[in-house]
């Protein structure tokens, strides 16, 4: 059995049994203990499960209730964030309106827009993102006011939500702290979840920017179901088993290797309305 198929089977078994021992996995998959332990280490590194003494449990049994601040997150998975941003950037065409949620992955997208000369209208609740965008003289920026959340430097609160809802945009790019088949998109903070919901509600197309470590994680507050978004843009480190799992549920994932999906979404759906 190939490694990707074996890891996919491990996750499928954990969904049924919630927790399993290394011995159980060895017996079921007819694999050595060293092979199973290596698979578990890789799956844990990618955020899909948590190793326990002698076995593993699904990571989705753990709820993320704490969010790191911008300084802690800015350099984590930086190559992956840049890869995601470069894919997202190809979705943006001249003279359209977009919304960009506060976050370190979306910030990398804003940097690419700032370095371009694309004529765009952008709504954002992040001062860092607006600063990155302002380098582009053809970019009209609407910076959402409200209460500043110190650890993410995002504007949040009822005023922010109401301001966002005055717009109608063609694309929203949002971040998320967790992606779960069972729980959808989640974040640790209720106020940030409300901002993301508002951006989804005003957008014709919604793309979630999330690195591969976010798959299988569940945070405290639900943002949306997958039915409310068009696709997830992620990095090339995402497990083949994850791609298969989401594809089976008709949840679209865009990566470098699956760039053909971008042609399908490039505004034929709604941006030319």
């Amino acid at each position: 059995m190939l490694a990707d198929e074996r890891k996919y089977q491990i996750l499928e078994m954990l969904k049924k049994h919630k927790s399993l021992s290394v011995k159980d996995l060895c017996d079921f998959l007819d694999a050595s203990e060293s092979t199973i332990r290596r698979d578990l280490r890789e799956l844990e590194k990618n955020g899909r499960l948590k190793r326990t003494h002698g076995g593993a449990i699904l990571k989705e049994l753990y709820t993320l209730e704490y969010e790191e601040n911008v300084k802690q997150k800015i350099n984590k998975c930086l190559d992956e964030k840049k890869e995601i941003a470069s894919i997202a950037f190809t979705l943006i065409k001249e003279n359209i309106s977009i919304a960009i949620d506060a976050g370190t992955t979306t910030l990398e997208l804003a940097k690419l827009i700032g370095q371009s000369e694309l004529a765009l209208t952008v709504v954002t609740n992040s001062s860092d993102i607006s600063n990155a965008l302002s380098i582009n003289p053809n970019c009209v920026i609407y910076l959402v006011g409200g209460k500043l959340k110190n650890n993410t430097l995002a504007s949040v609160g009822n005023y922010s939500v109401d301001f966002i809802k005055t717009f109608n945009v063609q694309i929203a790019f949002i971040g998320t702290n967790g992606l779960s088949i069972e729980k959808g998109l989640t974040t640790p903070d209720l106020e940030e979840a409300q901002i993301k919901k508002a951006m989804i509600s005003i957008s014709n197309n919604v793309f979630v920017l999330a690195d591969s470590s976010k798959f299988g994680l569940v945070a405290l507050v639900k943002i949306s179901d997958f039915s409310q978004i068009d696709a997830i843009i992620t990095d090339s480190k995402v497990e083949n088993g994850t791609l298969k799992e989401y594809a089976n549920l008709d949840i679209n994932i865009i990566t470098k290797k699956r760039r053909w999906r971008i042609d399908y979404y490039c505004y034929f759906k709604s941006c030319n309305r």
Side-chain angles (χ1 to χ4, degrees):
M1 186 183 295
L2 295 174
D4 282 337
E5 178 62 23
R6 191 171 56 246
K7 284 184 276 191
Y8 175 75
Q9 291 297 332
I10 290 172
L11 292 173
E12 289 299 301
M13 290 176 66
L14 282 172
K15 285 178 185 176
K16 292 179 182 178
H17 303 286
K18 305 304 180 186
S19 65
L20 287 165
S21 68
V22 171
K23 183 180 183 303
D24 289 336
L25 291 168
C26 289
D27 292 344
F28 183 82
L29 297 170
D30 192 25
S32 69
E33 183 175 324
S34 61
T35 296
I36 294 299
R37 289 189 183 280
R38 183 176 64 249
D39 289 344
L40 295 181
R41 282 196 300 271
E42 291 175 2
L43 287 167
E44 183 178 52
K45 183 179 178 181
N46 289 323
R48 304 309 309 279
L49 55 76
K50 183 172 179 63
R51 286 185 295 160
T52 60
H53 181 69
I57 63 174
L58 270 183
K59 190 67 174 277
E60 290 179 354
L61 298 178
Y62 282 76
T63 299
L64 304 174
E65 298 184 4
Y66 167 76
E67 183 163 15
E68 295 175 312
N69 63 42
V70 172
K71 287 184 178 179
Q72 291 171 312
K73 294 195 294 184
I74 194 74
N75 291 316
K76 284 190 175 180
C77 302
L78 185 56
D79 290 340
E80 289 84 351
K81 291 172 182 176
K82 289 182 176 180
E83 179 183 334
I84 292 165
S86 68
I87 299 169
F89 183 72
T90 65
L91 287 166
I92 301 171
K93 307 303 179 186
E94 195 86 18
N95 297 313
I96 68 165
S97 56
I98 65 175
I100 304 180
D101 170 42
T104 53
T105 306
T106 48
L107 176 59
E108 293 303 319
L109 172 60
K111 290 176 181 177
L112 294 178
I113 296 171
Q115 292 161 10
S116 76
E117 295 184 354
L118 284 174
L120 299 171
T121 299
V122 185
V123 179
T124 183
N125 67 320
S126 164
S127 56
D128 281 348
I129 285 174
S130 67
N131 288 338
L133 293 169
S134 66
I135 299 170
N136 178 350
N138 300 317
C139 197
V140 177
I141 305 160
Y142 289 93
L143 178 58
V144 178
K147 181 178 74 175
L148 183 68
K149 188 181 173 193
N150 291 336
N151 64 333
T152 61
L153 302 180
S155 296
V156 297
N158 291 336
Y159 177 86
S160 304
V161 170
D162 289 343
F163 183 76
I164 290 169
K165 287 184 176 180
T166 63
F167 295 91
N168 292 294
V169 301
Q170 289 156 307
I171 306 177
F173 295 103
I174 67 167
T176 185
N177 296 79
L179 291 161
S180 159
I181 292 292
E182 288 78 13
K183 303 295 184 181
L185 311 178
T186 55
T187 184
D189 187 86
L190 179 61
E191 290 182 309
E192 292 222 27
Q194 295 302 321
I195 293 291
K196 295 172 192 290
K197 286 174 183 283
M199 287 190 175
I200 290 171
S201 73
I202 67 167
S203 305
N204 290 337
N205 297 86
V206 180
F207 295 95
V208 176
L209 277 54
D211 68 73
S212 53
S213 70
K214 304 291 178 62
F215 285 88
L217 299 183
V218 176
L220 185 64
V221 184
K222 184 170 183 174
I223 301 166
S224 75
D225 293 314
F226 291 110
S227 61
Q228 294 175 274
I229 69 167
D230 290 284
I232 302 160
I233 305 176
T234 192
D235 59 83
S236 53
K237 291 184 179 179
V238 65
E239 297 273 346
N240 286 335
T242 299
L243 294 174
K244 179 179 178 182
E245 184 180 20
Y246 278 69
N248 288 341
L249 296 171
D250 292 325
I251 300 169
N252 299 297
I253 296 181
I254 299 172
T255 68
K256 266 187 176 179
K257 296 178 181 178
R258 296 160 66 91
R259 297 287 287 256
W260 60 270
R261 289 187 178 272
I262 292 177
D263 294 331
Y264 175 77
Y265 279 107
C266 271
Y267 314 96
F268 300 129
K269 177 183 173 187
S270 59
C271 286
N272 286 325
R273 288 177 184 172

